[in-house]
Amino acid sequence: MALIVQKFGGSSVADVSKIQNIAQKISKFYSDNNKIVVVVSAMGDSTDILLEMANEINSHPSSREMDMLLSTGEQVSIALLAMALDAINIPVISFTGSQVGIITDNIHCKARINKIVTDKITCALDENKVVIVAGFQGRTIENEITTLGRGGSDTTAVALATSLNADLCEIYTDVDGVYTTDPRIVKEAVKLNEITYDEMLELASLGAGVLHPRSVELAKLYNVPLSVRSSFSNEEGTKVVNTTLLEKEIVVTGVTRDLNVAKIGLFDVPDIPGIASKIFNFLANEHINVDMIVQSAMRNDLNDIAFTIPKDDLNKALEIINRIKDDIKISEVVYADDVAKVSIVGAGMITSPGVAAKMFKILADNNVNLKMISTSEIKVSCIVDADQADKSVQLLHESFNLANLK
Ligand code: ADP
Ligand code: ASP
Ligand code: MG
């Protein structure tokens, strides 16, 4: 008997027949004497529809009310899935995040889980029930509803697996595992049987939407056995592991692109200690996640600073910068939201010189201009024009020969 946390994404519960299909899948694991905790996302694109309605009604909706609204999507799917299991005689109970006691900080729309009270779940498991928990949501200690950021149900699943000390956390989705790149962009992409936590964390953080970055962070931190599988087949999927045999020979494991990127440039910033700290502190205080930062060489005691942030935060970031611009004596603020980040990831890069140079050459030979570059031990990222992002992913996938990676 094993305790398994299974998470089903929006496309896996998009309509009634898909919910019934999931119920059948769960019932097989249950009948094999496993204890099952299920996490579900909102049906299909219902979260997008709620967001659109909110923005039609108010162009600056409060993040508290946004959480109140978005959390309803998952409440629909937990109840329907519970009814589907009940209909095939599987004992079941559903809970919202708030009911279970998924306690988060109070940053609406980007909340982080601080603690999970597991009593309700363990009681229900002891009664041999399948437990269904709404993904993506929790509550603060003041009982305010919060959500964890888009794609956050993966994080709910891994956090539950950690708190319950589960034997396995399975993420079921509309692809049968983690691929060398998004198979919607490159049809030659191949499924990886295994990937390291480190590589998966980079891929997820750099735009591979298949897993929420924080879910991978948590899985790595607590060593949660994690796998990504298809809701629609019985394929093995991809296991996320500590080390792989492949790691030694393979330099690049995956290519990603992230379209949720905006770039801000600050001209003529005084070159004195404390200025960068001041600018980035203001942004951090508003929970804006700054990614790449480039400071140009000094001239006349003035620097140019450019940085990237998620596109969703662009308006908020510009408001902040414009508020402090005169005080800091920045001469001009420019921005672009038609950019994307293209990255290559691979644990083998640490020991293979020339990987970044090869990436730059491939892109240069194909007239892709690199606006910003950043590297770590296992990734190289470039900011390019958004309309060149998919072409760049295709070129890199082909040139690094990822279609033959197995
Ligand atoms: P869910 O609704 O199940 O959470 P998501 O849409 O969040 O599903 O994630 C699955 C999607 O992630 C796939 O349909 C695929 O297009 C995309 N994706 C991006 N990068 C990758 C990758 N490297 N491997 C697999 N899928 C990827
Ligand atoms: N329903 C939420 C979203 O669409 C959370 C999730 O699916 O993980 O982002
Ligand atoms: Mg997802």
Side-chain angles (χ1 to χ4, degrees):
M1 183 195 289
L3 172 56
I4 311 174
V5 176
Q6 301 184 318
K7 179 257 168 177
F8 295 91
S11 48
S12 313
V13 291
D15 56 38
V16 166
S17 72
K18 290 199 170 111
I19 292 176
Q20 287 167 327
N21 166 51
I22 298 307
Q24 288 295 342
K25 214 176 193 33
I26 296 167
S27 75
K28 292 205 179 76
F29 284 91
Y30 178 82
S31 309
D32 283 345
N33 269 331
N34 295 300
K35 291 199 176 290
I36 313 287
V37 176
V38 179
V39 174
V40 268
S41 293
M43 293 171 71
D45 53 6
S46 59
T47 307
D48 292 324
I49 294 169
L50 291 172
L51 263 170
E52 276 162 28
M53 282 197 291
N55 288 316
E56 253 177 60
I57 281 176
N58 185 330
S59 55
H60 288 97
S62 91
S63 46
R64 179 192 184 273
E65 299 308 332
M66 198 56 120
D67 277 350
M68 203 60 118
L69 178 72
L70 296 189
S71 59
T72 61
E74 271 68 13
Q75 196 168 339
V76 172
S77 43
I78 56 168
L80 290 175
L81 182 58
M83 291 173 196
L85 280 160
D86 181 44
I88 53 172
N89 299 318
I90 304 289
V92 60
I93 183 162
S94 73
F95 296 116
T96 64
S98 167
Q99 275 181 312
V100 164
I102 297 185
I103 312 296
T104 72
D105 62 18
N106 56 10
I107 316 300
H108 283 290
C109 299
K110 291 184 185 176
R112 282 178 169 258
I113 298 174
N114 286 337
K115 186 173 105 176
I116 299 185
V117 186
T118 50
D119 308 15
K120 264 203 155 85
I121 301 179
T122 45
C123 273
L125 288 174
D126 288 345
E127 289 165 7
N128 277 326
K129 288 180 181 155
V130 169
V131 179
I132 305 177
V133 180
F136 172 61
Q137 54 178 266
R139 69 167 165 85
T140 67
I141 43 174
E142 291 90 18
N143 250 326
E144 291 290 320
I145 305 265
T146 50
T147 63
L148 310 180
R150 297 304 307 268
S153 300
D154 299 333
T155 299
T156 306
V158 175
L160 278 170
T162 307
S163 306
L164 294 164
N165 209 1
D167 298 290
L168 183 58
C169 181
E170 296 181 316
I171 308 290
Y172 286 89
T173 182
D174 60 353
V175 275
D176 55 9
V178 178
Y179 279 64
T180 45
T181 192
D182 188 340
R184 290 189 214 194
I185 303 176
V186 180
K187 64 176 188 320
E188 293 80 16
V190 292
K191 192 191 90 187
L192 301 161
N193 294 327
E194 289 189 336
I195 186 163
T196 65
Y197 288 110
D198 288 330
E199 288 171 313
M200 193 62 239
L201 187 55
E202 288 285 9
L203 287 179
S205 311
L206 294 169
V210 65
L211 283 177
H212 193 235
R214 281 220 312 287
S215 69
V216 190
E217 212 173 78
L218 274 182
K220 176 176 151 66
L221 190 62
Y222 295 102
N223 234 326
V224 178
L226 182 65
S227 68
V228 179
R229 306 183 63 173
S230 167
S231 291
F232 309 110
S233 79
N234 292 320
E235 291 279 315
E236 263 299 311
T238 302
K239 288 195 168 67
V240 188
V241 294
N242 272 316
T243 48
T244 66
L245 286 175
L246 294 178
E247 192 180 322
K248 292 189 188 76
E249 297 137 35
I250 290 168
V251 178
V252 177
T253 316
V255 185
T256 62
R257 64 109 159 94
D258 188 354
L259 299 176
N260 184 18
V261 178
K263 182 177 153 222
I264 296 185
L266 311 177
F267 292 155
D268 302 329
V269 183
D271 185 44
I272 47 174
I275 292 289
S277 139
K278 202 166 182 177
I279 296 169
F280 293 113
N281 256 317
F282 273 108
L283 295 168
N285 288 342
E286 293 294 324
H287 314 290
I288 296 175
N289 195 9
V290 175
D291 183 25
M292 296 174 168
I293 304 177
V294 176
Q295 180 171 297
S296 69
M298 186 190 78
R299 53 164 207 282
N300 306 332
D301 293 335
L302 296 173
N303 291 318
D304 293 341
I305 297 179
F307 57 92
T308 61
I309 53 170
K311 202 187 285 190
D312 310 335
D313 286 330
L314 179 61
N315 288 339
K316 204 163 155 197
L318 288 174
E319 262 170 42
I320 295 167
I321 298 288
N322 284 321
R323 209 164 55 224
I324 59 175
K325 176 177 171 246
D326 292 343
D327 186 30
I328 294 184
K329 299 195 175 59
I330 299 168
S331 78
E332 196 181 343
V333 180
V334 292
Y335 66 91
D337 63 0
D338 53 353
V339 292
K341 183 162 57 183
V342 174
S343 312
I344 54 173
V345 172
M349 269 185 219
I350 302 175
T351 48
S352 305
V355 183
K358 179 172 173 185
M359 176 183 189
F360 304 153
K361 178 155 181 15
I362 295 160
L363 295 176
D365 286 350
N366 288 279
N367 284 324
V368 178
N369 189 29
L370 309 184
K371 296 165 182 289
M372 282 168 101
I373 294 168
S374 86
T375 63
S376 79
E377 284 175 328
I378 67 163
K379 71 119 203 270
V380 185
S381 297
C382 301
I383 297 292
V384 303
D385 280 334
D387 59 7
Q388 291 190 311
D390 285 7
K391 167 178 131 180
S392 303
V393 169
Q394 283 152 3
L395 286 165
L396 293 167
H397 195 270
E398 195 185 328
S399 306
F400 283 101
N401 203 18
L402 296 190
N404 295 316
L405 197 141
K406 264 283 173 188

